[in-house]
Amino acid sequence: MRGGVRVVDLIDWNFSLLFITAITVIYWAGLTPYGFLLNTQSESPIALALGVLLYPLGHAEFSHWFVNAAALCAFAPRAEVRFGTRLVLRYALATSVICGLLVLVLRDGMLMGASGVAYFFFGLMLAYYFCLGSRIWAFFVPFIVSFFVMAEIWAIGLEGNYATEVHLVSLAAGLVLGYLWQDEALDRQFSR
């Protein structure tokens, strides 16, 4: 069935849909930022550890939640179908923890939001489409990635905003892993 969504594809969307649902419920229930914030000023090791693990679930305001939720809806389910739930879950969590630890070690301040995870999925899908050999993607992917990277580097210099560092690390992780996984993903997709 070309162009349609099959049940076997929907089964692989568990992590993506649960994550999008979680950030939505947490935001609209008004639970942010309590418990979903990485605060480098905290003196409690438990609070710091929980912050490193949970900060992607919290969002400060409507626009913060909306942009991240929209980006996740656009990229996360597709990436999960292409690459499989286990690998995507493992590396999305690893990327979040690594970015949280970088902020904890290198910066003073607070971090929350799913933008790092969204950039990770964005990087995965860009690498995947680039590796398909499509002439359109082969032309536009370097341009799109360069634009995002330059915008983020400019934002770091302009504002000293450590969220942009998280975006860059996450995008790079997604691009590298997407490139490394592309053969396996293509085999899995076309063998169904």
Side-chain angles (χ1 to χ4, degrees), residues 130-142:
F130 182 66
C131 292
L132 282 175
S134 164
R135 290 180 183 175
I136 294 174
W137 278 100
F139 175 77
F140 282 111
V141 166

